[in-house]
């Protein structure tokens, strides 16, 4: 799976259903490229298109159960890989990582806000 595909699934997992145009902006690709990507993800059973209840003209891209499971499995694999690596660090290095966690969490929050753009 491409990085953009995985990132798009992660975006849908964290921010919920989105329009294709929103996804394109968030992932930094063109709208036609996102349309193709969504079609491939749809054919793979990872996303589906649904109408927007508040605006019948709008189609939203939503994660399927399989898509959510894929994101969660991928995240857990990353957690497990980091845990194995952290186990190889010296105690003082682990303490340094623990001390850095609040700043890293703040960075992740800022990045998420930046990707989502201004509030609607």
């Amino acid at each position: 799976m491409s990085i953009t595909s995985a990132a798009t699934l992660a975006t849908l997992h964290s921010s919920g259903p989105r329009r294709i145009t929103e996804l394109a902006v968030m992932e930094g690709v063109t709208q036609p490229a996102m349309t193709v990507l969504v079609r491939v993800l749809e054919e793979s059973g990872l996303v589906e298109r649904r109408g927007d209840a508040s605006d019948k003209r709008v189609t939203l891209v939503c994660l399927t159960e399989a898509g959510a499971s894929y994101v969660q499995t991928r995240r857990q694999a990353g957690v497990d890989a980091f845990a194995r690596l952290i186990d190889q660090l010296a105690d003082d290095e682990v303490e340094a990582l623990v001390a850095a966690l609040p700043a890293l969490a703040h960075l992740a929050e800022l990045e998420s806000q930046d990707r989502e753009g201004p509030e609607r």
Side-chain angles (χ1 to χ4, degrees), residues 16-17 31 34 37 99 110:
Q31 185 271 331
M34 183 55 69
L37 186 143
L110 291 172

Side-chain angles (χ1 to χ4, degrees), residues 86 89 91-107:
I86 289 170
L89 296 176
D91 288 345
D92 61 327
E93 292 171 317
V94 172
E95 289 173 18
L97 283 176
V98 170
L101 287 175
L104 292 171
H106 187 214
L107 277 176

Side-chain angles (χ1 to χ4, degrees), residues 1 9 13 41 44-48 62-74:
M1 175 172 293
L9 291 174
H13 190 265
L41 293 173
S44 299
L46 300 173
V47 301
E48 63 186 8
C62 310
L63 270 186
T64 62
E65 192 172 310
S69 176
Y70 176 84
V71 171
Q72 292 167 338
T73 299
R74 202 174 145 103

